[in-house]
Amino acid sequence: REREEIEKQKAHERYMKLQEQGKTEQARKDLERLALIRQQRADAAKKREEEKAAKEQRKAEARK
């Protein structure tokens, strides 16, 4: 039983090491999802900046 428990623990450690390196299927999915979220956030930030710039430009034109 002890040997089985040790083997189970070592297998888990190997899996976690592969997970950290991004070599498991779950890790790849997580990294893809993270990349998608980062892209969406970057797009949203760019859109906000464009809207802010357009708003400031309209304000400047209204003052003239």
Side-chain angles (χ1 to χ4, degrees):
R1 274 191 275 174
E2 290 178 26
R3 184 179 47 159
E4 289 174 2
E5 190 64 33
I6 291 170
E7 288 175 6
K8 183 178 177 182
Q9 186 178 9
K10 285 183 180 181
H12 180 71
E13 289 173 4
R14 281 193 302 273
Y15 178 80
M16 294 308 292
K17 185 182 263 187
L18 290 173
Q19 183 81 359
E20 288 175 10
Q21 295 171 358
K23 293 183 178 179
T24 63
E25 187 65 30
Q26 184 65 38
R28 282 192 284 274
K29 288 180 182 178
D30 290 345
L31 291 173
E32 287 174 13
R33 196 167 39 249
L34 181 60
L36 178 64
I37 290 170
R38 284 182 175 159
Q39 182 63 41
Q40 289 173 344
R41 287 181 179 173
D43 292 345
K46 183 178 177 183
K47 184 177 179 182
R48 282 192 304 272
E49 286 296 318
E50 290 172 353
E51 289 174 354
K52 184 178 177 182
K55 184 177 179 182
E56 288 178 9
Q57 186 177 7
R58 286 192 302 268
K59 266 187 177 179
E61 288 176 1
R63 289 183 195 154
K64 291 182 181 182

